[in-house]
Amino acid sequence: GAGVSQSPRYKVTKRGQDVALRCDPISGHVSLYWYRQALGQGPEFLTYFNYEAQQDKSGLPNDRFSAERPEGSISTLTIQRTEQRDSAMYRCASSQGLAGGLSYEQYFGPGTRLTVT
Amino acid sequence: QKEVEQNSGPLSVPEGAIASLNCTYSDRGSQSFFWYRQYSGKSPELIMSIYSNGDKEDGRFTAQLNKASQYVSLLIRDSQPSDSATYLCAVYAGGTSYGKLTFGQGTILTVHP
């Protein structure tokens, strides 16, 4: 079946513009996660949804970052008034979300490379 | 102290050898442990998960977990050049951390012919 998809794959924007990054999880996966990955580092947690509920947004760097998943499927990560330091690879992952250890096997999408000029 | 620590490498092994990748974590209550493989320019790919102490084998891969020592490792037997990648250790702490995974910085593995 289809994996996690993300769009756009590449986004170049000017400082001060807003951007919206989209994630379409694996069909039937309840949980959806956003991470940010710097070069040479592991992914860093941003936020997490269970169905449409945002369960944890502790990793969002500041209030310019927000995320939603209104119908419990596709999610959008929005960055307002972008700054150069926002430039990174933004990765989305999904998992089944059932109780027990298997629920946290997360599968990553291809990522969106954001460049703020 | 980082929550999940890995030796960044690079770790270089000859083809056919055993590659041993190590990871330590700081949260003693951590419940689930994962190894991801990431080829250059690609996204992380889940290759192993382990939840209880001991060994778990899957093909050429063996994950080992020792919760008392807060240590998890990945062994790759009969290493192939195609195994050359960055290997990421990820830990789920459980409790109110929900599904959040904490990743190490990754170990670069190079398998040379």
Side-chain angles (χ1 to χ4, degrees):
Chain A
V4 179
S5 61
Q6 292 186 247
S7 61
R9 295 290 304 277
Y10 303 91
K11 177 69 177 179
V12 180
T13 190
K14 293 186 185 300
R15 187 180 58 180
Q17 297 294 307
D18 298 350
V19 296
L21 312 180
R22 173 186 162 123
C23 172
D24 195 348
I26 293 172
S27 178
H29 275 194
V30 167
S31 302
L32 184 147
Y33 313 81
W34 284 98
Y35 293 86
R36 180 166 69 175
Q37 187 173 20
L39 201 61
Q41 300 295 319
E44 178 186 24
F45 173 82
L46 295 176
T47 188
Y48 155 65
F49 290 85
N50 211 21
Y51 296 102
E52 72 282 357
Q54 190 172 23
Q55 301 282 10
D56 184 351
K57 56 181 181 178
S58 63
L60 296 177
N62 51 60
D63 60 8
R64 295 186 296 106
F65 287 73
S66 63
E68 63 175 8
R69 193 186 184 199
E71 298 180 359
S73 179
I74 292 170
S75 176
T76 302
L77 176 69
T78 300
I79 309 173
Q80 295 179 312
R81 306 181 302 282
T82 52
E83 300 178 5
Q84 286 187 326
R85 60 177 171 158
D86 300 332
S87 296
M89 177 68 81
Y90 289 83
R91 298 198 186 276
C92 175
S94 71
S95 70
Q96 289 181 326
L98 302 171
L102 287 177
S103 66
Y104 300 119
E105 290 191 348
Q106 297 180 20
Y107 299 89
F108 282 83
T112 295
R113 168 72 66 189
L114 174 66
T115 303
V116 182
T117 62
Chain B
Q1 181 187 7
K2 291 183 179 178
E3 295 180 49
V4 179
E5 295 208 40
Q6 297 181 252
N7 187 328
S8 61
L11 173 65
S12 182
V13 300
E15 184 174 357
I18 296 174
S20 178
L21 305 159
N22 305 315
C23 172
T24 58
Y25 58 94
S26 60
D27 187 336
R28 184 170 290 278
S30 296
Q31 298 182 2
S32 308
F33 308 86
F34 307 91
W35 284 99
Y36 286 81
R37 177 176 63 197
Q38 186 171 26
Y39 292 114
S40 181
K42 301 297 185 182
S43 60
E45 173 192 8
L46 179 65
I47 55 172
M48 288 290 284
S49 55
I50 187 166
Y51 307 101
S52 55
N53 279 329
D55 295 0
K56 179 182 177 182
E57 186 175 319
D58 184 359
R60 295 186 296 111
F61 299 100
T62 299
Q64 300 174 315
L65 175 61
N66 183 326
K67 289 188 176 181
S69 300
Q70 295 173 240
Y71 177 92
V72 58
S73 65
L74 179 70
L75 300 178
I76 306 175
R77 291 182 301 280
D78 188 24
S79 295
Q80 300 297 309
S82 59
D83 295 324
S84 298
T86 297
Y87 288 81
L88 296 162
C89 173
V91 176
Y92 165 60
T96 57
S97 64
Y98 297 102
K100 168 186 174 182
L101 291 182
T102 301
F103 285 81
Q105 69 178 69
T107 298
I108 299 171
L109 172 66
T110 302
V111 181
H112 54 86

